[in-house]
Amino acid sequence: MTKTRVLAALIMAPLAIGGVLFLPTPWLVVFAAVLFLLALWEWLRLADVEDTLARTILLACNLALMVALVWGSRSAHGGSFALFQLVIVIGVGWWVLALLWLKHYHFASDHDSHARAFKLLAGTLAVVPAWCALAVIHASEPDGHYWLLLALMLVWAADTGAYFTGRTFGGKWFGGRKLAPRISPNKTIEGLLGGIVLAMLVALAGASLIGVDTAHLPAVAGVAAVTVAFSVIGDLYESLLKRHVDIKDSGHLIPGHGGVLDRVDSVLAALPVFALGKVWFGF
């Protein structure tokens, strides 16, 4: 399984990096829509929507929302990202509420229509703003493709830093307290801090290579730290959904990695926060 996992990662990483760096924004947005909608398809399963027709209709509704956002952003002067930016703000607000949901573990944990409705809304609020954020970051001038790659690298660095810090120092600094023991027992506070620190270092190095002036580097580091914190919320929230339905992986599309949602859960929460921070601080 480990060899399969590594091989899949060696294939996926270059494809993701190449797409971000070399595809024009419209094409990248199309491919990202396909990827995120695949993740949403798996999300619908976690929301107890088992009927294929019902899932297809719900997926089509979210696709229609994406198309409507693109259509509504057109103008005689080439278009505006104002609608996309509004959706990004809504997405960040959703992930703040998701933190409260994580605290109240049993909220919507049953399988009735009300629980399903909450989780269906959550799926749209997670996927569509992340897609909008990807578009806004990549289209930003100058060097939007580098900024999007850096945003993704923050998530990857956080995962790496959390893994090694957690294995080395987990349970030693905070009296054995876990980050979210009922949701993800293996995650430690030490791992979270290690992931944030490594991501901040990557952010500073990446921003310097992009050419950010020194005055903006503290803002970049701060946005990176908050981005990673939200990426953990995204990961924990998907774990919560899986625990509610008692499954290990959201799907089996990626050998050794589970489903698409298992790979992008952190990214869904990270991208809107990074995009908002980038616009807010102007770097």
Side-chain angles (χ1 to χ4, degrees), residues 49-149:
V49 182
E50 296 291 346
D51 181 69
T52 301
L53 178 60
R55 290 166 75 181
T56 302
I57 293 172
L58 289 168
L59 204 70
C61 290
N62 282 271
L63 174 59
L65 176 58
M66 291 176 170
V67 173
L69 287 169
V70 173
W71 181 82
S73 299
R74 298 183 306 165
S75 74
H77 305 289
S80 166
F81 278 111
L83 273 178
F84 279 58
Q85 291 170 343
L86 175 61
V87 173
I88 289 169
V89 173
I90 293 172
V92 173
W94 146 246
W95 286 112
V96 173
L97 292 176
L99 183 60
L100 296 176
W101 194 329
L102 293 176
K103 182 178 180 181
H104 299 281
Y105 175 86
H106 291 292
F107 179 74
S109 61
D110 52 6
H111 304 282
D112 63 16
S113 59
H114 294 88
R116 185 180 297 116
F118 280 119
K119 291 174 180 177
L120 292 178
L121 177 60
T124 297
L125 291 174
V127 169
V128 177
W131 175 75
C132 289
L134 179 144
V136 169
I137 296 170
H138 195 266
S140 62
E141 294 290 346
D143 301 320
H145 52 302
Y146 290 133
W147 282 111
L148 179 57
L149 179 59

